[in-house]
């Protein structure tokens, strides 16, 4: 949506479009419509809606597996277009367990009908991880396993959009020790076309943008190596953060609630993972662009990064603990201990050396001869 | 005799399966099963207790934030940390707004379609709808043209044969009793509520950074700094203004839309004040502290127990009496599956023994759910808005009692009517009204503290893990939208050793226990009329009246 | 054979020969390396845990530290590349084979050194170039430097978002998560610290034991070697003598 055309994102999107041979005029037109959208959201939506009213709206089915429904809720909070505009004007959201009218057999019948009548033409959205351990018994719907349903629905889809960390790479479900063998949809159903929208949850502004891009250009936006849209996941949070000037200056929050904290200083020392995170939270923000975690005083936990639960935690430390030392221990502790140990060993050796110089035989008698011996290899 | 299976139960959070035995048009027996398990209690083990809330919050994204709160309280309880007053207020505001938000979404988007026939709205006369709207509420969006517009929108869906979310409802079912005009009113408000919820929840963005999954808790307080003179402080005079605006919006919506709609719809379904009563035993940990979290006498919602629908007595509650049974749940207990465990000794050892998928029916004689069965002193209890309202009412609560009496008067119903499917719906609306009103008080307190120079937001005494005892354990409680939530944490060597969550929907949707006692859903479904076993709308009504959340329940 | 060059402070045997062992590039690379490591460690520790908290509005502490860190990182990279080139272009003691105990002789001399350090042998065996044990240690240091550089570049790639750099090092974050790269980058710093302690100690120690002027040699390039040793190592006429 509007977000696509925020100054930072314009380039990457434009690039991606030119690369794909979409002409510039079309892009600029799209863009100016978007910018106009910023001031007058309903008009833009109406326009797109009119454009689409002649054709049947694309059908969306939203599958939930091992999830918390946070991504569904997040979608409900979308602003431009709002969820009402999205599901009533832009798309036909035919299956979404959180919201749909029908239950049980009636619900399943819808899914089967969509797959039958629109084979290869509908978009599947997946929320939640797919548990593979023990035959998939950790998530069943209508008596069928998540993997069974995902395979059937995603294979028949035009494209699959994985929303949230869980659907992308297993998310929290897959965090150590991954009790249910959860994985993301791309791994669970190999060979399908996936757009990954990480985050915990995903930011609906980006999802709306992806869908709009698809509706406008009939294809998905440019993706990175994790199949994520570049416009949303291409930049480091830290580089877009409003506290960045404090970081560069060296003004850090030292303790929660201290003066620096109240004045909006940088949260780096409190564990902020902004430098390790890519996402567009600082520009798009959340809930009608009201705020984002760092603005509200807590560090970023890098929730849109690969396997972030295990790789970005402990969230209040800057870098991960080292596993395998009985209990996890920070690197700095190991490092200082090692340095200390080497110093101690060196000192001990020095003392030993001082003692032995007092009573050892003279060098002439030994060193050269030994060297000779060693050089001839006969010792 | 028919075995009715509803799987998936939709318009809920997560994966719920109901199996019911229908005999002569009535439910003779019912089984409630959760069909998804993630193991978050296991994933929490070995982690830093200070960040447990970040993980635990992901138990649910619908009642987001509530697990964060219970979790952070459990760790604070273990480490004996008291949070500053500002943090208490911010937490109350976050929780109360979650409560209102969740209830509004529940009523309009998860529950309404059990009572409202969308297709019937097409037959409505928008002028009459306008008259009805104006007769029940001063809400400004009530013109004939407005309702005509909504009707056109629905009409467009039907003509295009793309009903979107409204595909596959049990439209035309004989149990739908609203006149077309009221159906149209409800559909209009369904759409308005979609807008309301996303606007109102900006309050969570301010105080939590984002919604769902807020990110401003800390063991010992919050990150929402308070400062009257700093533009970058999270809470400053400007933000107080925004909070006030949002709270005012919520009050208007709840009082002028939500509550009148509940009353209007309930008026057409009076028999549902007799159906779905359920257990009649209610439990509430109480919540919304006015001071210290340990000072339960000053909670907004009191802690206590009401037994057998008896509103004349409130029993004290002792969290040590809470246990969970796995006799019919797919877990193993080290001491045998028939010996329920208190969460301090709680275990989560998944062991599936149900039918191999794909399957048609569960073996309900054996284990049949991923939910454990919580019990209080061995007795199944109902938790939730109705429990809170009943306990507060029975305690003579100065705000709850008059609000309930006023609503009952409008409905022309006795207090006993509360113990029913519609009673739950009404309790939820009353609670939203009270919470929305109460939020003003908390914003005032916050502003007052700020202007008096009380800026403390975090208590850092125990932030450094080196200051912790080697072993500690704590329990954190919260009254979440769906009811009483408890997290129990055990800490050893600065790490989480054991973590157990006993969740509202686990109480309500849990399976039978080792004594064969049914859970709240299972009991309340008994004797539900089912006009058409192929379209078990009535079963959904009662199940939905609890606002099921299965991600919560199993976690 | 040169005479009168006997350094009184070192006091080698009068007959020993002054040999130009460490050519200028080796010494330069060594001291640039040392300088960079000190600067990189200091700025790195600051980046890890900013212990100076600025209050002034005009300060730029973290910015400066990171700038210095990355800049000296590139100096280090250059010095190392230069040194690697000299592995092939330098004299026989600068060559790459000095760092890996390929020959039986070097292996047994290495054993000899270990025994010496372990108090199982009274004296170390003097060497013209690196003793094989030291050589192996330097080899490990070179290896760690490469890892440090690769991880450092990957971290820099994350900051810079430059296409060229990304195509050079971007694969690393696919292999190892950025956070672990950061952890490795940080952890290896301590290994350099530990190495330094031992390295300086043994340089002083062996210098004294061999009386070869080893300590001075890393500044001047010259060591004192007994003629017998030189001929035994079979390099007699080919080395540069003074
Ligand atoms: C060889 C000696 C080096 C040492 C001892 C060293 C040490 C460190 C340390 C301790 C950190 C902080 C890690 C953390 O806690 O986040 C760091 C960060 C970093 N280092 Fe190095 N480093 C070295 C070489 C390099 C090189 C060759 C480069 C390449 C340009 C480099 C680039 C970086 C970058 C980009 C960062 C991250 C800075 C940031 O996040 O702002 N380092 N280094
Ligand atoms: C962190 C700092 C240091 C590192 C990483 C380091 C590393 C090295 C390396 C790799 C070599 C082999 C030279 C080559 O062939 O290129 C070397 C040799 C040498 N370094 Fe250092 N060095 C450090 C500090 C020092 C200091 C402070 C001194 C003196 C006070 C010193 C004295 C020497 C000497 C005497 C040699 C030749 C020793 C031999 O071959 O056994 N080094 N050093
Ligand atoms: N049950 C439940 Fe929740 C609530 N309210 C949790 O504590 O919904 Ni997800
Ligand atoms: S990614 Fe996060 S918000 Fe989405 S389902 Fe998973 S836990 Fe919930
Ligand atoms: S608060 Fe976080 S993202 Fe922002 S500048 Fe500081 S470290 Fe970077
Ligand atoms: S935690 Fe997630 S929401 Fe944004 S600020 Fe960090 S990526
Ligand atoms: Mg539990």
């Amino acid at each position: 949506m509007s977000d696509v055309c925020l100054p930072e994102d314009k380039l990457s999107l434009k690039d991606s479009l030119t690369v794909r041979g979409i002409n510039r005029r079309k892009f600029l037109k799209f863009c100016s419509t978007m910018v106009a959208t910023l001031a007058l959201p309903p008009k833009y939506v109406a326009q797109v809606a009119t454009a689409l009213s002649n054709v049947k709206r694309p059908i969306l089915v939203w599958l939930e597996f091992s999830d918390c429904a946070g991504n569904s809720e997040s979608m409900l909070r979308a602003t431009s277009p709002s969820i009402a505009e999205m599901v009533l004007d832009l798309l036909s959201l035919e299956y979404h367990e959180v919201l749909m009218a029908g239950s049980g057999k009636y619900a399943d019948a819808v899914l089967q009908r969509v797959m039958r009548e629109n084979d290869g033409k509908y978009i599947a959205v997946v929320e939640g991880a797919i548990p593979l351990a023990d035959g998939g018994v950790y998530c069943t719907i209508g008596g069928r396993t998540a993997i069974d349903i995902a395979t059937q629905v995603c294979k028949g889809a035009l494209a699959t959009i994985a929303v949230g960390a869980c659907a992308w790479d297993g998310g929290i479900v897959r965090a150590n020790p991954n009790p249910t063998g959860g994985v993301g949809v791309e791994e669970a159903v190999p060979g399908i076309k996936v757009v990954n929208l990480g985050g915990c949850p995903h930011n609906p502004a980006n999802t709306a943008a992806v869908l709009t891009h698809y509706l406008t250009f009939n294809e998905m936006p440019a993706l990175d190596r994790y199949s994520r849209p570049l416009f949303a996941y291409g930049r480091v949070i830290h580089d877009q953060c409003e506290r960045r000037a404090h970081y560069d200056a060296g003004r850090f929050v030292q303790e929660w609630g201290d003066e620096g904290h109240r004045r909006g200083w940088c949260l780096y020392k409190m564990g902020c993972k902004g430098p390790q995170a890519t996402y567009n939270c600082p520009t798009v923000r959340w809930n009608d662009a009201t705020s984002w975690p760092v603005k509200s005083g807590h560090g970023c936990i890098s929730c849109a990064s690969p396997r972030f639960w295990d790789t970005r935690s402990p969230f209040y430390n800057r870098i991960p603990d080292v596993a395998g030392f009985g209990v996890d221990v920070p690197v700095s502790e190991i490092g200082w201990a090692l340095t200390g140990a080497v110093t101690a060993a060196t000192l001990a050796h020095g003392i030993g050396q001082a003692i032995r110089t007092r009573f050892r035989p003279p060098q002439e008698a030994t060193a050269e001869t030994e060297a000779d011996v060693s050089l001839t290899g006969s010792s | 005799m028919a075995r009715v299976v509803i799987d998936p139960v939709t318009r809920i959070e997560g994966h719920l399966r109901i199996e019911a035995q229908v005999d002569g048009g009535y439910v003779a027996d019912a089984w409630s099963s959760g069909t998804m398990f993630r193991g978050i209690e296991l994933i929490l083990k070995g982690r830093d207790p200070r960040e447990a809330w970040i993980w635990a919050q992901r138990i649910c994204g619908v009642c987001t934030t509530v697990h964060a709160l219970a979790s952070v309280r459990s760790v604070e309880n273990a480490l004996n940390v008291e949070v500053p007053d500002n943090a208490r207020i911010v937490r109350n505001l976050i929780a109360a707004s979650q409560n209102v938000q969740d209830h509004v979404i529940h009523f309009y988007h998860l529950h309404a379609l059990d009572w409202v026939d969308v297709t019937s709205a097409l037959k409505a006369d928008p002028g009459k709808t306008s008259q009805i709207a104006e007769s029940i509420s001063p809400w400004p969006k009530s013109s004939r043209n407005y309702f005509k517009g909504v009707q056109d929108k629905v009409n467009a869906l039907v003509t295009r044969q793309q009903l979107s979310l409204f595909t596959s409802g049990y439209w035309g079912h004989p149990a739908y009793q609203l006149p077309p005009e009221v159906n149209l009113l409800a559909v209009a408000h369904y759409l308005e509520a979609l807008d309301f919820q996303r606007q109102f929840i900006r309050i969570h963005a301010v105080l939590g950074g984002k919604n769902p999954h807020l990110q401003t808790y800390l063991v010992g307080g919050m990150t929402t700094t308070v400062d009257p003179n700093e533009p970058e402080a999270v809470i400053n005079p400007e933000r107080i203004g925004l909070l006030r605006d949002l709270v005012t919006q919520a009050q208007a919506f709840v009082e002028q839309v939500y509550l009148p709609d509940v009353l209007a719809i309930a008026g057409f379904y009076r028999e549902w004040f007799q159906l779905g009563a359920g257990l009649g035993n209610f439990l509430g940990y109480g919540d919304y502290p006015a001071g210290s979290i340990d000072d339960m006498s000053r909670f907004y919602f009191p802690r206590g127990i009401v037994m057998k629908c008896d509103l004349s007595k409130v029993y004290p509650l002792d969290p040590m009496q809470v246990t969970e049974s796995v006799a019919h749940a797919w877990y193993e207990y080290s001491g045998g599956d028939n010996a329920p465990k208190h969460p301090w000794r709680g275990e989560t050892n998944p062991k599936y023994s149900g039918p191999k998928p794909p399957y048609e029916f569960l073996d309900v004689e054996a284990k049949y759910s991923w939910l454990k069965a919580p019990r209080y002193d061995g007795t199944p209890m109902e938790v939730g808005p109705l429990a809170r309202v009943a306990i507060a009412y029975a305690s003579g609560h100065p705000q709850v009692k008059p609000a309930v009496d006023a609503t009952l008067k409008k409905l022309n119903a006795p207090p006993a009517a509360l113990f029913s499917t519609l009673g739950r719906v009404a309790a939820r609306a009353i609670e939203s009204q009270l919470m929305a009103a109460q939020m003003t008080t908390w914003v005032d307190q916050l502003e007052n503290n700020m202007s008096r120079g009380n800026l403390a937001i975090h208590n850092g005494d125990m932030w450094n893990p080196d200051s912790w005892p080697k072993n500690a354990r704590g329990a954190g409680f919260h009254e979440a939208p769906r009811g009483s939530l408890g997290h129990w944490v055990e800490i050893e060597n600065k790490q989480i050793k054991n973590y157990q969550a006993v969740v509202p929907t686990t109480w309500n949707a849990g399976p039978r226990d080792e004594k064969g006692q049914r859970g709240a859903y299972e009991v309340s479904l008994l004797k539900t009329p089912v006009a058409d076993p192929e379209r078990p709308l009535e079963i959904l009504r009662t199940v939905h009246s609890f606002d099921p959340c299965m991600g919560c329940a199993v976690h | 054979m040169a005479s009168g060059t006997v350094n009184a402070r070192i006091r080698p045997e009068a007959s020993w020969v002054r040999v130009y062992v460490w050519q200028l590039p080796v010494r330069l690379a060594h001291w640039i390396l040392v300088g960079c490591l000190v600067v990189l460690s200091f700025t790195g520790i600051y980046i890890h845990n900013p212990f100076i908290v600025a209050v002034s509005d005009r300060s730029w502490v973290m910015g400066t530290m990171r700038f210095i860190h990355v800049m000296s990182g590139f100096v280090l990279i250059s010095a190392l590349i230069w040194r690697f080139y000299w592995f092939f272009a330098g004299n026989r003691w600068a060559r790459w084979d000095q760092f890996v105990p390929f020959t039986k002789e070097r292996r047994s001399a290495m054993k000899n050194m270990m025994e010496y350090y372990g108090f199982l042998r009274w004296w170390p065996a003097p060497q013209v170039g690196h003793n094989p044990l030291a050589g192996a240690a330097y080899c490990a240091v070179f290896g760690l430097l490469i890892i440090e550089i690769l991880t450092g570049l990957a971290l820099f790639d994350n900051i810079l978002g430059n296409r060229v750099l990304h195509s050079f090092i971007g694969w690393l974050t696919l292999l190892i998560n950025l956070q672990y790269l950061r952890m490795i980058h940080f952890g290896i710093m301590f290994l350099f610290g530990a190495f330094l302690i031992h390295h300086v100690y043994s340089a002083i120690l062996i210098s004294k034991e061999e009386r070869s002027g080893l300590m001075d040699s890393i500044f001047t390039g010259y060591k004192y070697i007994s003629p017998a040793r030189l001929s035994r190592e079979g390099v007699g006429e080919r080395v540069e003598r003074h």
Side-chain angles (χ1 to χ4, degrees), chain C residues 4-14 18 211 213 216 224:
Chain C
T5 51
V6 173
N7 186 320
R9 191 163 58 78
I10 297 163
R11 277 191 282 113
E13 300 300 312
R18 193 166 175 247
R211 293 180 293 158
D216 293 30
Y224 292 91

Side-chain angles (χ1 to χ4, degrees), chain B residues 89-110:
Chain B
I89 300 168
V90 169
R91 289 179 181 186
N92 280 355
L93 280 170
I94 290 178
S97 42
Q98 177 62 31
N99 184 295
V100 173
Q101 158 92 355
D102 224 331
H103 289 356
V104 167
I105 292 182
H106 173 259
F107 180 68
Y108 286 101
H109 309 124
L110 307 185

Side-chain angles (χ1 to χ4, degrees), chain B residues 48-282:
Chain B
D48 181 346
R50 293 174 303 173
E51 65 182 51
W53 64 268
I54 302 180
W55 299 73
Q57 183 167 221
R58 268 67 184 184
I59 287 174
C60 186
V62 171
C63 67
T64 185
T65 229
V66 309
H67 294 281
L69 181 53
S71 175
V72 87
R73 281 177 173 170
S74 71
V75 176
E76 284 162 358
N77 179 250
L79 300 175
N80 216 344
V81 201
E82 186 76 49
V83 307
D85 198 48
N86 288 325
R88 168 192 71 84
I89 300 168
V90 169
R91 289 179 181 186
N92 280 355
L93 280 170
I94 290 178
S97 42
Q98 177 62 31
N99 184 295
V100 173
Q101 158 92 355
D102 224 331
H103 289 356
V104 167
I105 292 182
H106 173 259
F107 180 68
Y108 286 101
H109 309 124
L110 307 185
H111 201 13
L113 299 183
D114 296 341
W115 312 101
V116 172
D117 184 336
V118 176
T119 54
S120 141
L122 293 175
K123 294 181 224 122
D125 170 355
K128 273 198 201 147
T129 302
S130 165
Q131 280 168 20
I132 296 173
E134 279 162 11
S135 73
I136 61 172
S137 162
W139 188 246
K141 281 182 155 182
S142 63
S143 70
R144 185 195 166 278
N145 278 350
Y146 170 67
F147 289 114
K148 180 83 178 61
V150 173
Q151 199 177 34
D152 290 347
K153 211 166 217 179
V154 179
N155 211 357
L157 299 179
V158 177
T159 2
R160 248 180 305 179
Q161 295 203 322
Q162 283 194 322
L163 271 170
S164 198
L165 289 170
F166 304 131
T167 334
S168 78
Y170 298 137
W171 312 132
H173 191 288
Y176 282 120
Q177 286 158 31
L178 295 182
E181 283 72 25
V182 179
N183 280 322
L184 179 57
L185 178 78
V187 172
H189 290 172
Y190 177 107
L191 298 176
E192 275 184 54
L194 279 177
D195 283 338
F196 164 75
Q197 55 90 25
R198 76 178 155 83
Q199 279 170 18
F200 172 55
I201 212 59
R202 292 178 64 212
I203 194 167
H204 274 188
V206 173
L207 299 175
K210 73 184 210 292
N211 168 288
H213 296 327
L214 284 65
Q215 202 158 309
T216 51
Y217 292 89
L218 292 171
V219 167
M222 301 294 293
T223 68
T224 49
T225 49
V226 183
D227 199 320
N229 306 314
E230 284 296 339
E232 294 307 320
V234 179
I235 296 164
N236 56 28
E238 185 210 326
R239 289 304 190 90
I240 292 275
L242 176 55
L243 295 180
R244 246 186 239 298
D245 280 356
L246 293 167
V247 169
T248 313
Q249 281 175 29
Q251 285 163 353
F253 190 85
V254 170
E255 273 164 24
Q256 299 177 22
V257 184
Y258 180 15
L259 207 53
D261 282 357
V262 168
L263 295 176
I265 292 176
F268 291 92
Y269 288 104
R270 297 192 60 88
E271 70 277 18
W272 285 90
F273 280 113
Q274 261 101 56
L275 292 166
L279 296 165
N281 302 330
F282 299 95

Side-chain angles (χ1 to χ4, degrees), chain B residues 291-440:
Chain B
S292 161
I293 187 80
D294 298 322
D295 185 0
M296 277 165 287
S297 66
R298 293 175 66 204
F299 281 5
Y300 184 90
F301 284 116
R303 174 174 282 201
I305 281 174
V306 162
M307 295 299 286
K308 306 205 171 76
C309 303
D310 177 4
L311 288 172
S312 70
K313 185 147 177 42
V314 178
Y315 298 88
L317 182 157
D318 172 13
M320 288 311 289
Q321 299 302 318
V322 172
T323 57
E324 285 190 304
S325 164
V326 296
H328 285 276
W330 291 311
Y331 302 92
E332 273 179 341
Y333 271 174
S334 55
D337 298 353
N338 285 331
K341 285 183 185 292
H342 183 270
W344 283 137
R345 286 176 296 281
E347 293 171 6
T348 302
N349 309 316
K351 182 96 176 62
Y352 184 77
S353 57
K356 188 174 178 307
Y359 58 83
E360 214 178 329
F361 299 107
L362 290 168
D363 178 4
V364 294
E365 299 306 313
K367 299 187 176 218
Y368 62 89
S369 178
W370 282 116
L371 278 73
K372 296 174 184 172
R375 296 293 181 258
Y376 183 82
D377 198 11
T379 310
M381 310 293 281
E382 175 174 340
V383 300
L386 175 55
R388 279 192 289 268
V389 164
I391 294 162
Y393 188 89
S395 334
H397 192 285
Q399 283 94 36
V400 176
K401 189 148 192 320
V404 172
D405 285 335
T407 307
L408 288 171
K409 194 162 163 245
K410 281 183 205 146
L411 286 165
N412 192 17
L418 283 174
F419 306 116
S420 65
T421 296
L422 273 186
R424 287 186 196 97
V425 178
R428 207 170 271 119
I430 293 168
E431 181 175 84
S432 304
Q433 183 195 21
L434 294 168
M435 283 287 105
Q438 187 62 21
M439 285 168 75
T440 310

Side-chain angles (χ1 to χ4, degrees), chain A residues 225-226 236 238-239 244-245 247-252 254 265 268-269 273 275-276 278 306-307 310-312 318-322 331-332 335-336 338-339 342-343 346 349-350 352-353 356-357 359-364 366-368 370-372 374-377, chain C residues 13 45-57 59-63 66 105 108-109 112 116-117 119 121-126 158-159 166 170-171 173-174 177-180 182-183 186-187 190-191 194 197-198 201 205 209-211 226 229 232-233:
Chain A
R225 55 191 181 164
Y226 295 108
V236 177
H238 188 55
D239 292 347
R244 178 56 184 268
Y247 169 86
D248 286 327
R251 287 187 292 267
F252 299 102
Q254 303 275 62
W265 288 5
Y268 187 73
K269 290 182 88 167
K273 299 295 180 301
Q276 283 90 273
T278 58
R307 307 288 306 277
D310 282 327
T311 62
R312 264 56 172 175
R318 287 224 33 263
I319 46 184
D321 287 347
V322 186
V331 192
S332 54
W336 288 119
L338 178 88
T339 314
V342 170
T343 313
T346 308
H349 196 275
Q353 181 68 19
R356 80 160 151 189
T357 45
F359 49 81
R360 66 177 164 184
Q363 185 179 13
E364 286 76 10
T366 53
E368 280 291 2
E370 283 174 16
D372 294 348
S374 74
L375 276 168
T376 53
Chain C
E13 300 300 312
I45 287 172
Y46 184 83
I47 294 168
H48 177 72
N49 176 21
F51 46 86
I52 307 164
V53 173
V55 276
S56 133
D57 281 349
S59 58
W60 194 252
V61 188
M62 180 56 106
R66 292 174 75 217
E105 283 74 16
S108 78
N112 177 318
Y116 166 72
Y117 277 119
F119 296 102
R121 185 180 283 273
W122 288 118
W123 295 95
N158 177 54
I159 297 170
H166 187 76
W171 53 271
T173 39
L174 278 181
N177 192 293
L178 187 66
Q179 268 299 81
Y180 295 123
R182 194 176 277 271
M183 180 171 103
F186 176 56
F190 291 96
L191 298 183
I197 293 163
H198 172 262
Y201 168 73
L205 175 70
E209 298 280 85
E210 288 185 349
R211 293 180 293 158
S226 81
R229 220 219 112 77
R232 266 186 220 107
E233 285 198 23

Side-chain angles (χ1 to χ4, degrees), chain A residues 203-244:
Chain A
N203 191 326
N206 295 325
T207 309
V210 168
L211 289 172
T212 308
H213 189 282
Y214 173 73
L215 295 175
T216 315
F217 299 115
N218 231 331
E219 66 176 355
M220 293 298 176
L223 305 177
D224 69 6
R225 55 191 181 164
Y226 295 108
S227 308
R228 308 178 301 179
L230 276 168
F231 74 84
Y233 298 88
R235 293 189 62 207
V236 177
I237 295 240
H238 188 55
D239 292 347
Q240 317 162 66
C241 177
E242 62 242 29
R243 297 181 187 232
R244 178 56 184 268

